[in-house]
Amino acid sequence: MKNNKKLLWMLLSALVVLVLAACSGDEATDSSADTEKDEEATTSNDGRKVVIGGLWDLTGATSDVGAPFAEGAEAYVKYANSKGIEGLNVELTGKDYAYSIPEAQKLYQEHRDKAGAQAIIGFGTGDTEALRQQVAADKFPFVSGSLSESLKNVEESPYNFLVAASYSDQGRVLLKWIKDNHKDGTPTVALLYNDTAFGRSPVEDMKAYAKEIGVDIVDEQVIDVKATEAQSQLLNMEKKNPDYAIIQQTWAATSTILRDAKTLGIDTQFIGLNWTTGEGLFDNVDAATAEGYMGALINAMPSEDVPGMAEVKEYIEGEGKKLEDINAKFVQGWVTAKIMVEAIKAAAEKYPEGEITGEQIREGMESLNNLDLGGVAANVTYGADKHAGTSQIKIGVVKDGKWEALTDYISFED
Amino acid sequence: MRNIFVRESGNYKTSYVDDMKLFGTTGEKVKIALIIGLVLLVPVFATNYWVGLLTLCVISSIGAIGLNILTGFTGQISIGVGAFLGVGGYTSAIITSTMGLSFWISLPLAGLITAIVGGIFGLPALRLKGLYLAIATLAAQVVILFIISRWTSVTGGTAGMVLSRPSIGSFTFSSNISYYYLSVVILLITVLYATNLLRTRVGRAFLAVRDRDIAAQIMGINLFRYKVLAFAVSSFFVGIAGALLGHYTMIVSPELYSTTVSIEYLAMILIGGLGSVLGSILGAVFITLLPVGLGTFVDMVVVYFPDLYSLLSAFKEFAFGLVIILFLIFEPGGLAHIWLNIKKYFKLWPFSY
């Protein structure tokens, strides 16, 4: 009998959790379930509200870069609201999906049905690609931390927008730079990536482009995104002795690669795509190991003196912090949210009456022409058949424990 | 006229036919009708968000029943469910998106092809038991995912494939509610099949294999045949669930079918109750909704401690694990057993012993 009671208690406590969930669900849905009707009813211009749903990776495999990205995006929306956005009230409700696609799908439904979101800021390649059909069906514009080339396809993902050069474009710029700057003979390149949609995204495009311009891809190695050891892969790579190795990882695996390469005495020049660059790299390797490491920069470092950084500084200092407290991924989140808010602004100007829908935000986004980001990132231009804002990146290098830009924003097409 | 509230008390059955009746009393028929009615009425009073979540529960239930046929009924452990879901999803994606055939053809085909694949990976079950079989099925998980992510020309590689929602004539199951009904109908068929399976020769053979395979063999049960059959039947339903899930999310990609998914399905049937159809459903609902409930709990706490969000989000995983451990310790019989206990309590009240 005693045992039975225990069981009942357990059942009850489980029920309580679920019932609580149900209750809070119902409260919020009253507003969202009826949004469609309300959209017609409310025509007053003040207090128009746009909800952006955020899918953040705060605890998952890529949380090393995901957490500052989320922080930056939330910071920009807060900053923009304090400055006023065409009389709009833009709300960003972001939650953690821990880099797991099923969680992202549930969270997306929550944003859509409970919070009544009209636009989404996502993060990972896997989840962004997994949701592209749904956002197309629901007509929600979607910007993301992911810059996968396949999202460029307007036919297949009509509501996805790329806020910076796609991974493939970054890879092409790097390959072109290698071709242009390599001294003797044909440069040989190895590709190091992880076995996820994110890691594999640029691989085929880079191989095709390398063939086109005459760079030899001599080796490919798969290194897990959470790897703490990569010696076997690096030893395999060393057999082919490539001049360069292009890394598609986040900070964690990149620092593993650099550290193990130093241990093994490999003299290959390592170059990374955008998620490998930034200050977080030095959390796991000392500056001497990272010295000379190169990478694609799609946005400015907080320490860089560009006009667009003034507003970041204003916000950060308003929070009682310093620019040293944030990093490049915070800036990327900031820029991503900024482009979305600019699109909402453009939509609000075009449609001064009524609530703003996802379709209108998409129109607003497509009307953005050479949007000036003040040097914080390459200016972006969208159009009805062009959802990739830019193909430009800066190439940076680590010098004395700091990132320095070697080039201005360049594209492989120039 | 028998009173509909009459419950069976004691065993008064006089023939085998009586004993085999699925719905012995009028009360039971009414009860089943009420439950089905309630399930079908859910979209009327639930919000769109909850209908979406429940659709996921229903789809997981189909997969969990499938796995329970293998693990609960036949006693063969499998850690390859995630990959089998993937086989179902990808089969349906290839048939509908690449070959352009209808969903109504691809759904059963997805089940059949997954059944064949499951049967092939079930072959080692003849020689392997317990932990050894678990590792062999883990190999299925790895091999299938490897093929899916490398066979780019057919599967689209890591980028995955896109699917569309099914349609009949001009009606498309694009809304949450319509897809919920579609899934519920398939779940009902699955439940009916699984419940009846236990009443057949094949079902009894499964149970005999589970309880003691050597004894079963001595009684004339062809072990090889029934073990592979169990893998095939189980995989059939997992494949159907995979196809349904694929068309629901409108995408299939290798990252959706990781080992974590396999473990989650195992957790469903462990928490729900091994060898119980009701348990599979309860477990699937529990495992699907638990993260949502925990998430909502975190949201409520965060209102008071806004800085703790990322810490509490990590805590969610911890709580998830804790719940599973508590279940294994205090109620190995699962949710189905708890339900039975509650029923017994009220049935015998106030003279329970």
Side-chain angles (χ1 to χ4, degrees):
Chain A
M1 197 56 239
K2 190 170 163 250
N3 209 19
N4 253 349
K5 262 186 192 160
K6 224 185 243 169
L7 296 176
L8 273 175
W9 273 115
M10 274 184 49
L11 182 78
L12 280 177
S13 48
L15 275 178
V16 166
V17 173
L18 294 177
V19 166
L20 284 175
C23 290
S24 63
D26 290 342
E27 262 170 54
T29 28
D30 281 341
S31 55
S32 67
D34 298 333
T35 22
E36 302 245 334
K37 283 171 218 154
D38 291 345
E39 269 163 30
E40 314 298 326
T42 46
T43 43
S44 85
N45 213 351
D46 322 309
R48 284 203 293 174
K49 190 171 156 191
V50 178
V51 178
I52 308 174
L55 308 169
W56 309 143
D57 179 13
L58 304 179
T59 57
T62 60
S63 55
D64 54 341
V65 288
F69 177 86
E71 202 189 329
E74 278 169 357
Y76 180 75
V77 172
K78 200 171 160 195
Y79 173 79
N81 271 323
S82 72
K83 294 282 164 192
I85 311 165
E86 296 286 318
L88 288 172
N89 176 18
V90 176
E91 191 187 308
L92 173 61
T93 55
K95 278 193 192 165
D96 178 34
Y97 77 99
Y99 211 61
S100 124
I101 300 176
E103 275 311 302
Q105 277 165 339
K106 278 187 220 165
L107 201 50
Y108 169 75
Q109 291 190 356
E110 190 180 327
H111 285 325
R112 180 188 64 196
D113 298 331
K114 261 172 90 174
Q118 285 97 32
I120 305 284
I121 299 179
F123 180 69
T125 298
D127 45 279
T128 303
E129 287 185 344
L131 287 169
R132 66 182 195 260
Q133 281 285 90
Q134 284 194 350
V135 291
D138 296 329
K139 299 191 166 55
F140 294 156
F142 195 122
V143 293
S144 165
S146 165
L147 303 169
S148 178
E149 177 92 351
S150 61
L151 301 172
K152 268 186 180 177
N153 184 343
V154 180
E155 299 282 299
E156 215 176 58
S157 21
Y159 277 81
N160 288 84
F161 291 87
L162 292 175
V163 294
S166 73
Y167 298 137
S168 301
D169 285 344
Q170 296 177 26
R172 290 183 187 118
V173 176
L174 294 177
L175 286 168
K176 183 157 190 279
W177 184 90
I178 289 171
K179 177 74 184 166
D180 293 348
N181 290 273
H182 191 71
K183 299 266 159 25
D184 24 48
T186 312
T188 52
V189 176
L191 303 178
L192 310 177
Y193 52 87
N194 54 63
D195 210 357
T196 62
F198 158 64
R200 288 184 170 272
S201 165
V203 173
E204 291 306 317
D205 288 331
M206 275 161 72
K207 283 201 282 199
Y209 186 73
K211 210 171 187 180
E212 199 182 310
I213 63 167
V215 172
D216 278 346
I217 304 285
V218 291
D219 195 28
E220 291 171 49
Q221 294 294 333
V222 173
I223 297 170
D224 192 75
V225 69
K226 285 183 279 190
T228 51
E229 186 277 328
Q231 297 204 358
S232 58
Q233 290 98 330
L234 288 174
L235 282 172
N236 282 338
M237 183 191 89
E238 182 64 1
K239 282 183 203 153
K240 308 276 172 62
N241 194 21
D243 301 318
Y244 304 88
I246 296 181
I247 305 176
Q248 164 71 330
Q249 301 278 8
T250 65
W251 286 337
T254 309
S255 48
T256 304
I257 292 171
L258 293 180
R259 196 192 57 220
D260 283 352
K262 193 184 184 194
T263 313
L264 297 169
I266 293 173
D267 60 352
T268 300
Q269 169 68 53
F270 289 94
I271 311 179
L273 300 194
N274 72 293
W275 287 110
T276 69
T277 57
E279 304 79 352
L281 199 57
F282 308 126
D283 291 349
N284 297 317
V285 288
D286 53 57
T289 311
E291 185 72 19
Y293 175 65
M294 292 171 63
L297 309 177
I298 57 165
N299 51 257
M301 300 285 152
S303 53
E304 257 175 81
D305 187 24
V306 286
M309 201 57 78
E311 37 180 41
V312 183
K313 196 173 171 196
E314 185 189 337
Y315 169 83
I316 288 294
E317 283 171 0
E319 294 284 297
K321 286 191 274 189
K322 283 178 297 190
L323 276 181
E324 286 82 61
D325 297 335
I326 60 166
N327 57 41
K329 300 308 164 214
F330 179 98
V331 179
Q332 189 181 343
W334 178 281
V335 170
T336 307
K338 178 163 182 168
I339 291 171
M340 181 57 95
V341 170
E342 288 296 333
I344 293 170
K345 225 190 247 179
E349 273 166 24
K350 206 169 173 191
Y351 297 94
E353 299 285 312
E355 291 292 325
I356 293 171
T357 64
E359 260 178 303
Q360 292 167 350
I361 300 174
R362 177 179 174 224
E363 266 181 55
M365 186 79 91
E366 285 172 351
S367 73
L368 295 180
N369 189 11
N370 205 18
L371 176 70
D372 187 9
L373 295 164
V376 171
N379 294 356
V380 288
T381 302
Y382 296 100
D385 51 358
K386 180 178 179 293
H387 282 194
T390 176
S391 60
Q392 294 185 324
I393 57 165
K394 280 185 190 177
I395 297 177
V397 66
V398 178
K399 223 178 235 173
D400 302 325
K402 277 181 103 174
W403 280 92
E404 258 177 42
L406 279 180
T407 66
D408 199 16
Y409 287 108
I410 52 169
S411 165
F412 63 98
E413 290 153 334
D414 321 325
Chain B
M1 170 71 197
R2 286 162 80 182
N3 183 340
I4 57 160
F5 294 107
V6 161
R7 288 164 177 282
E8 279 182 81
S9 54
N11 196 346
Y12 296 108
K13 283 157 185 161
T14 50
S15 68
Y16 285 119
V17 178
D18 253 355
D19 198 33
M20 291 294 288
K21 265 188 186 159
L22 203 52
F23 310 114
T25 59
T26 323
E28 248 171 277
K29 281 178 201 158
V30 171
K31 192 177 80 184
I32 297 291
L34 274 179
I35 291 175
I36 294 177
L38 197 72
V39 168
L40 291 179
L41 274 177
V42 161
V44 177
F45 46 82
T47 58
N48 207 18
Y49 172 62
W50 275 96
V51 174
L53 280 182
L54 287 175
T55 309
L56 286 176
C57 293
V58 169
I59 295 173
S60 320
S61 301
I62 298 170
I65 291 176
L67 180 62
N68 224 335
I69 290 175
L70 181 65
T71 306
F73 293 177
T74 324
Q76 311 296 307
I77 192 163
S78 165
I79 316 187
V81 205
F84 294 142
L85 275 177
V87 173
Y90 268 94
T91 308
S92 196
I94 291 164
I95 292 174
T96 56
S97 299
T98 314
M99 298 164 65
L101 292 174
S102 145
F103 167 82
W104 309 105
I105 300 170
S106 79
L107 185 71
L109 273 181
L112 283 177
I113 289 179
T114 316
I116 293 170
V117 174
I120 292 170
F121 281 102
L123 292 178
L126 180 66
R127 293 288 169 89
L128 304 176
K129 271 188 236 172
L131 274 179
Y132 301 91
L133 182 61
I135 296 300
T137 53
L138 188 63
Q141 169 86 27
V142 176
V143 169
I144 291 173
L145 280 193
F146 186 87
I147 293 173
I148 288 178
S149 56
R150 298 303 193 285
W151 198 3
T152 321
S153 57
V154 174
T155 61
T158 38
M161 297 177 73
V162 288
L163 297 87
S164 50
R165 289 279 173 93
S167 54
I168 304 181
S170 60
F171 177 77
T172 309
F173 289 84
S174 50
S175 72
N176 269 1
I177 293 176
S178 58
Y179 208 85
Y180 173 78
Y181 281 123
L182 173 69
S183 314
V184 163
V185 168
I186 294 172
L187 175 65
L188 285 178
I189 297 170
T190 311
V191 168
L192 205 63
Y193 178 88
T195 322
N196 273 309
L197 178 67
L198 276 189
R199 302 164 358 114
T200 61
R201 183 190 145 78
V202 176
R204 286 190 298 271
F206 283 170
L207 297 185
V209 171
R210 174 189 69 187
D211 290 342
R212 179 69 71 196
D213 54 354
I214 294 176
Q217 198 168 21
I218 292 168
M219 285 193 292
I221 290 169
N222 184 341
L223 275 192
F224 182 65
R225 187 172 158 231
Y226 280 101
K227 280 182 175 175
V228 172
L229 192 64
F231 265 95
V233 171
S234 151
S235 304
F236 179 83
F237 288 110
V238 175
I240 295 276
L244 272 179
L245 191 66
H247 284 277
Y248 179 63
T249 57
M250 296 186 275
I251 197 109
V252 286
S253 102
E255 282 173 71
L256 280 169
Y257 306 112
S258 59
T259 322
T260 328
V261 178
S262 301
I263 304 289
E264 233 166 54
Y265 270 83
L266 272 181
M268 281 177 198
I269 61 168
L270 282 178
I271 285 184
L274 281 177
S276 152
V277 174
L278 174 70
S280 316
I281 298 174
L282 291 177
V285 172
F286 187 83
I287 294 285
T288 314
L289 292 186
L290 184 64
V292 179
L294 287 173
T296 318
F297 175 73
V298 168
D299 287 346
M300 286 188 304
V301 177
V302 162
V303 173
Y304 304 103
F305 307 99
D307 298 335
L308 290 180
Y309 182 71
S310 57
L311 184 73
L312 285 170
S313 298
F315 178 74
K316 253 182 356 193
E317 301 281 310
F318 173 78
F320 191 77
L322 187 74
V323 169
I324 291 175
I325 293 173
L326 287 179
F327 255 100
L328 292 181
I329 294 175
F330 292 109
E331 188 47 281
L335 287 167
H337 195 228
I338 293 181
W339 174 242
L340 220 69
N341 280 341
I342 295 173
K343 239 166 61 173
K344 233 188 246 165
Y345 178 83
F346 284 106
K347 221 172 189 175
L348 300 173
W349 188 85
F351 301 115
S352 59
Y353 47 92

